[in-house]
Every structure is written in C-alpha cells, then in structure tokens.
C-alpha cells in the first residue's frame, strides 16, 4: 500500500507541496497541560517511566496542534541509567549522573541485554501511542547519539564545552572509546525495541556534535551514527533514521551519505539556502527555525518561517525548529508557525 503519512513520505524522499511539521520538545514546559501531568507524576523521571502519563504528554501537542509527528516522551539519559549509572535531575539546573572515567567504572556497567529491565516502561509507552495516535500521525522514537550521551556520562552533568569528555578522549582513549562502544551497542538494542513496539522512525540526537572537529567529528559523531543506522536498517529495513549532529556547520554536507540516515536535521547555525544546495540535494532535511521565535512571535516569526519553507521547497523537507522549544515560549506562537507553514 502506498505510504500515506506525510512525514514518512518526506522521509522517503518525496517533495510535498506543504512540508509536514513537528517540533523538538513539543511536549514540554511551555504547555500548561504538560506541567499539570508532570505534577501528577511527581517529577520528570517518574513521568518518563509511567507509560500512561508519558503517552498522555506525548499526545497533548498532537491534540492541541495536530502536528504530523509525535515524538515519544522519554529522555536520552535513560540509557545511561539502564546501563547502571545513577541519574537524577536538579530542579532549575538539569541532569546529574554518576561518572564513568576509569576502566573499572566502565567494566562495572551492566551488560547490554540488561537495559530492558529498566527501559521496559518506555516500550510500553510506545505501544500505547501506536494504538492511540491518529492514523495520519507518525510516531518517532529516539535516543541520544553516543558522543552526546558520553559527554553526560563522563562529566556527570551538562557542560558548556564538553571539557571532561574531551579530556578523557585525550588522556585515556581506550576508556573513552570503550564507553562509546557500550553506548552504541545499547542504543542499537534500545531503538530496535522501540521499533518492535511501534516506533515508525527513529532520531539520533547528537546535541554536542558541534564541539568535535576534523577526524574527531568523523570518528565520534558520524561513525557511531553510521553503525547504529546500519544495524537498525539490517534488522528493520524500511524504518527511516533521522540524524541530528547539532552544530556541525559546513560539515552537514555529506552527512546523509556518511551516516546512511534518511534525513538530516539541521540547527539554526546554517542558512536554509545553503542547506538546500549542500544537504537537501542528498535527501530529506528538517529543522532550522530559531527556537527564540517561539518566544518573540510576530512578523519575524512569519517571515523566517516562510523564508525557510521557500528555500527548502524544491526537495524533501520536514518543518521543525533548529533545537528544542524553550519553557518561556508562547503556545500561540506555535500555532502561528503552524498556520504559516500550512498557509492558512
Ligand atoms: O522532544 C520531545 O518532546 C521528546 C522528549 C525529549 C526530552 N528530552 C524530554 C525532556 C527528548 C527528545 C529529549 C532529548 C534530550 N534530553 C537531549 C537531546 C536534545 C537536546 O535538547 O539537545 C538532551 C541533551 C537531553 C538531556 C536533558 N534532559 C537535559 C540537559 C535536560 C535539562 C534541561 C531542561 O530543559 O530542563 C533534560 C530534561 C528534559 N527532557 C525535559 C524534557 C521535557 C524538561 C524536564 C522537566 O519537565 O522539568
């Protein structure tokens, strides 16, 4: 049967008259209904591990806005937790983890097959969503890309420059590469189970790819994404993969071919016309609108949205932000963006 879902058509390389649309962090603190469900769950991690409530917050932006895709509600740091790291969130500050910087600590991580003991509720969320989502809505599963996940596991928290991960790479490459391998293997298992449960597409978030340069970018951002993509395609042919090496700049050119991904998500640091000429020529692209427009709205939001749609109109395109929507965004600006994309 011909594919009807617009997101899957764009991912398959079709140029659509109106780009399908979804938004990174579309379930999140800018929505009052999200805050209410999060309060009901108690805290962020309890929300992630509660299949009914995690499915509920995934559905909220679909009900409110009718996005063309829903992204599973979870977090990239659940995999480190499933591998045995301690994980907690400090309100107003972000995630904290126990660190892995020595061969001993690396050896103590749990075996890959044990991750499902922790991650089973996430697969349950996917199953609920694949029953409850409207027929036209694509369900996107996701994981962090190994480099980005490693930066948190090595530093024990978010860092502005990923300094601790760069230091471990310089000082103990065996432990650094061993950790990347463990995350890569775990990610293949984790995403494969998300697909078995009903995810129709998966996205790899390499949020800190921009701090890798030259060979490091190839070896530690591109290669792990390529390994994961190849393993998933061998097991689940036809399930599209979106790669997001955020901050890659001119290195976005060639990412489709180097990773094998069906779609490359771009941040707001590259120009849409450049993306059309150098990235979209190889396949579907997604992203680019500055998240700050969701805070400021107005004419600038409308004209930038139109500019991106126009620049990317002659190839496969999924409309999205360049990074996640922020808690201070105005829900009405999201509607304005959608109306502008859909031309109403
Ligand atoms: O996009 C979605 O709506 C799906 C859910 C999703 C979340 N995190 C929920 C979340 C996704 C895809 C992620 C990915 C994620 N998580 C990334 C990669 C994408 C990116 O933003 O660069 C990263 C680096 C993380 C790790 C993480 N999770 C951090 C650094 C933080 C704290 C920062 C913050 O915004 O508070 C989180 C928490 C988090 N993950 C929230 C949400 C909705 C906010 C938690 C809350 O409700 O308090």
């Amino acid at each position: 049967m011909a594919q009807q879902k617009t997101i899957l058509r764009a991912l398959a390389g079709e140029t659509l008259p109106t780009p399908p649309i979804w938004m990174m962090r579309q379930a999140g603190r800018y929505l009052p209904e999200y805050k209410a469900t999060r309060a009901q769950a108690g805290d962020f991690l309890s929300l992630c591990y509660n299949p009914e409530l995690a499915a509920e917050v995934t559905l909220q932006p679909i009900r409110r806005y009718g996005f063309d895709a829903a992204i599973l509600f979870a977090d990239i740091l659940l995999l480190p937790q499933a591998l045995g790291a301690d994980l907690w969130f400090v309100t107003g500050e972000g995630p904290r983890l126990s660190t892995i910087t020595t061969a001993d600590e690396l050896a103590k991580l749990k075996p890959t097959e044990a991750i499902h003991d922790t991650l089973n509720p996430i697969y349950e969320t996917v199953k609920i969503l694949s029953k409850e989502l409207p027929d036209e809505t694509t369900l996107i599963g996701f994981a962090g890309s190994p480099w980005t996940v490693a930066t948190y596991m090595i530093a024990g928290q978010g860092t502005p420059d990923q300094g601790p991960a760069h230091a471990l790479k310089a000082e103990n490459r065996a432990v650094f590469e061993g950790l990347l391998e463990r995350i890569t293997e775990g990610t293949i298992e984790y995403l494969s189970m998300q697909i078995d449960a009903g995810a129709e597409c998966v996205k790899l978030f390499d949020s800190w790819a921009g701090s890798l340069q030259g060979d490091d970018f190839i070896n530690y951002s591109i290669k792990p994404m390529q390994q994961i993509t190849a393993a998933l395609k061998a097991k689940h042919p036809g399930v599209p993969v979106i790669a997001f090496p955020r901050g890659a700049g001119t290195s976005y050119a060639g990412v489709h071919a180097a990773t094998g991904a069906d779609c490359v998500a771009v941040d707001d640091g590259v120009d849409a016309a450049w993306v059309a000429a150098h990235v979209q020529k190889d396949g579907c692209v997604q992203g680019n609108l500055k998240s700050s427009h969701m805070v400021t709205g107005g004419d600038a939001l409308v004209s930038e949205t139109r500019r991106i749609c126009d620049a990317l109109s002659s190839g496969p395109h999924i409309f999205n932000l360049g990074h996640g929507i922020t808690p201070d965004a105005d829900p009405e600006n999201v509607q304005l963006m959608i109306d502008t994309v859909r031309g109403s």
Side-chain angles (χ1 to χ4, degrees):
M1 202 178 75
Q3 183 53 252
Q4 291 308 311
K5 297 191 183 192
T6 50
I7 295 266
L8 295 176
R9 287 170 62 188
L11 289 167
E14 203 178 319
T15 304
L16 298 165
T18 301
I21 179 167
W22 69 281
M23 198 173 62
M24 279 186 270
R25 292 274 173 99
Q26 63 190 21
R29 287 165 293 183
Y30 73 106
L31 288 179
E33 59 268 38
Y34 169 82
K35 284 192 259 190
T37 310
R38 185 179 178 281
Q40 194 188 336
D43 57 45
F44 173 65
L45 281 177
S46 308
L47 177 55
C48 290
Y49 287 115
N50 181 321
E52 268 77 33
L53 296 184
E56 166 58 25
V57 294
T58 307
L59 290 163
Q60 285 168 350
I62 308 304
R63 285 190 207 114
R64 188 190 263 255
Y65 298 115
F67 283 119
D68 296 292
I71 182 159
L72 163 70
F73 189 82
D75 197 83
I76 66 163
L77 300 178
L78 305 185
L79 178 65
Q81 188 177 35
L83 283 167
D86 295 329
L87 171 68
W88 67 104
F89 280 80
V90 180
T91 313
E93 290 185 28
R96 296 287 182 275
L97 299 93
S98 52
T99 58
I100 309 286
T101 55
T102 65
D104 268 4
E105 286 161 350
L106 179 62
K108 282 194 193 116
L109 288 178
K110 292 183 191 168
T112 301
E113 55 282 9
I115 64 172
H116 305 309
D117 298 344
T118 301
L119 297 171
N120 261 319
I122 311 308
Y123 314 140
E124 280 309 308
T125 307
V126 175
K127 283 184 197 155
I128 296 172
L129 287 167
S130 52
K131 275 193 227 113
E132 294 195 0
L133 277 169
D135 290 344
E136 65 276 14
T137 315
T138 300
L139 178 55
I140 303 175
F142 74 93
S145 198
W147 159 251
T148 288
V149 174
T151 65
Y152 288 94
M153 292 182 82
I154 294 164
Q157 61 184 70
T159 47
D161 58 358
Q162 297 72 58
H166 285 287
L168 186 68
K169 168 160 62 66
E171 287 154 16
N172 196 338
R173 199 161 288 241
V175 170
F176 172 76
E177 290 188 348
L179 179 59
L180 281 193
E181 271 168 38
R182 289 301 322 274
I183 300 167
T184 301
E185 207 181 288
T187 303
I188 292 167
E189 268 291 304
Y190 181 37
L191 290 178
S192 194
M193 288 293 275
Q194 291 183 25
I195 294 167
D196 283 339
E200 299 169 284
C201 157
V202 294
K203 178 166 176 184
L204 287 167
F205 286 89
D206 208 355
S207 303
W208 299 119
S211 77
L212 292 169
Q213 291 178 319
D215 286 349
D216 280 353
F217 176 72
I218 302 296
N219 290 330
Y220 304 128
S221 177
I222 296 296
K223 277 198 183 148
M225 289 201 280
Q226 186 275 329
Q227 283 172 344
I228 294 163
T229 304
L232 291 175
K233 296 224 171 248
K235 263 177 137 168
H236 310 274
V239 174
V241 175
I242 304 172
F244 181 35
R246 186 169 75 95
T250 53
S251 299
Y252 272 120
V255 169
H256 284 95
T259 59
D262 303 271
C263 175
V264 174
V266 296
D267 59 87
D268 59 28
V270 281
D271 185 74
W274 182 88
V275 172
H278 299 275
V279 191
Q280 195 186 31
K281 69 177 181 44
D282 296 330
C284 187
V285 293
Q286 169 190 283
N288 204 228
L289 184 69
K290 266 190 206 311
S291 304
S292 58
H293 288 296
M294 297 302 103
V295 181
T296 52
D299 292 346
L301 158 54
V302 172
S303 61
E304 272 298 281
T305 299
R306 287 206 180 116
R307 192 177 65 82
I308 291 168
C309 287
D310 287 348
L312 298 171
S313 64
S314 48
H317 174 213
I318 296 169
F319 197 87
N320 206 315
L321 305 177
H323 199 197
I325 187 168
T326 50
D328 55 344
D330 181 344
E332 287 190 17
N333 290 333
V334 176
Q335 190 62 57
L336 179 59
M337 169 183 73
I338 294 170
D339 291 346
T340 306
V341 171
R342 293 185 175 158
S344 57

